[in-house]
């Protein structure tokens, strides 16, 4: 696990993949079909306007925008938060991703809990996975 004195801003992924706020349910579902994608980040410019996980999505035959199905509550953290607290938060809720946002809602990064839940993914981890696919 991360050092108890480490802040989110020290270890977050700084360039997470995003989708525009007008992404469709079908586009969000397609992104989530990738085993490494656990959360779709919907943005309007630099601002995070919603997050979508598999369980948020409506039945397969539903059409429309993903945004109405998205959530922000309990899916964002401050860059100043301590990683130990974020780790505990993710473990308690049995989730592996949380978006990092500024006080004005700007998306700054993503915290990605490793599959074994022992620490956080690094940019090098993500790059290595990308080169395998």
């Amino acid at each position: 696990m991360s050092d108890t004195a480490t802040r989110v801003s020290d270890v977050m992924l700084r360039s997470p993949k995003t989708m525009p706020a007008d992404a469709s349910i079908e586009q969000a579902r397609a992104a989530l079909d990738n085993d490494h994608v656990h959360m779709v980040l919907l943005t309007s410019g630099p601002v995070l306007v919603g997050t979508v996980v598999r369980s948020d999505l409506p039945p397969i035959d539903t059409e429309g925008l993903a945004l109405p199905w998205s959530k922000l509550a309990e899916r964002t953290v401050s860059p100043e938060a301590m990683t130990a607290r974020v780790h505990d938060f993710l473990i308690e809720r049995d989730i592996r991703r949380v978006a990092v946002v500024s006080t004005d809602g700007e998306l700054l990064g993503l915290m990605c809990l490793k599959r074994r839940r022992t620490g956080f993914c690094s940019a090098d981890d993500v790059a290595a996975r990308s080169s395998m696919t």
Side-chain angles (χ1 to χ4, degrees):
M1 223 313 288
S2 300
D3 181 329
T4 56
T6 305
R7 295 191 185 279
V8 165
S9 59
D10 297 327
V11 298
M12 68 185 184
L13 300 175
R14 296 186 179 278
S15 300
K17 293 180 182 178
T18 63
M19 295 185 100
D22 62 355
S24 69
I25 294 168
E26 183 178 337
Q27 290 170 312
R29 193 179 309 281
L32 290 165
D33 280 345
N34 179 327
D35 288 341
H36 295 292
V37 177
H38 296 260
M39 177 184 285
V40 171
L41 304 172
L42 300 172
T43 57
S44 178
V47 177
L48 181 69
V49 294
T51 67
V52 178
V53 298
R54 288 171 186 88
S55 62
D56 294 336
L57 292 173
I60 292 283
D61 58 350
T62 306
E63 295 182 6
L65 298 178
L67 187 59
W69 300 94
S70 72
K71 298 176 184 174
L72 285 175
E74 296 193 354
R75 293 191 182 164
T76 64
V77 294
S78 161
E80 297 305 313
M82 303 308 291
T83 57
R85 294 189 92 179
V86 173
H87 181 268
D88 292 346
F89 174 85
L90 294 171
I91 295 294
E92 288 168 9
R93 285 162 181 77
D94 194 30
I95 58 176
R96 293 186 44 212
R97 305 289 187 270
V98 65
V100 182
V101 295
S102 67
T103 55
D104 60 358
E106 181 178 348
L107 178 63
L108 302 175
L110 181 71
M111 291 297 288
C112 162
L113 189 60
K114 290 184 176 186
R115 182 169 290 171
R116 293 187 178 143
R117 292 162 170 70
T118 57
F120 296 102
C121 304
S122 69
D124 290 341
D125 295 335
V126 173
R129 279 194 308 269
S130 294
S131 67
M132 287 189 241
T133 57

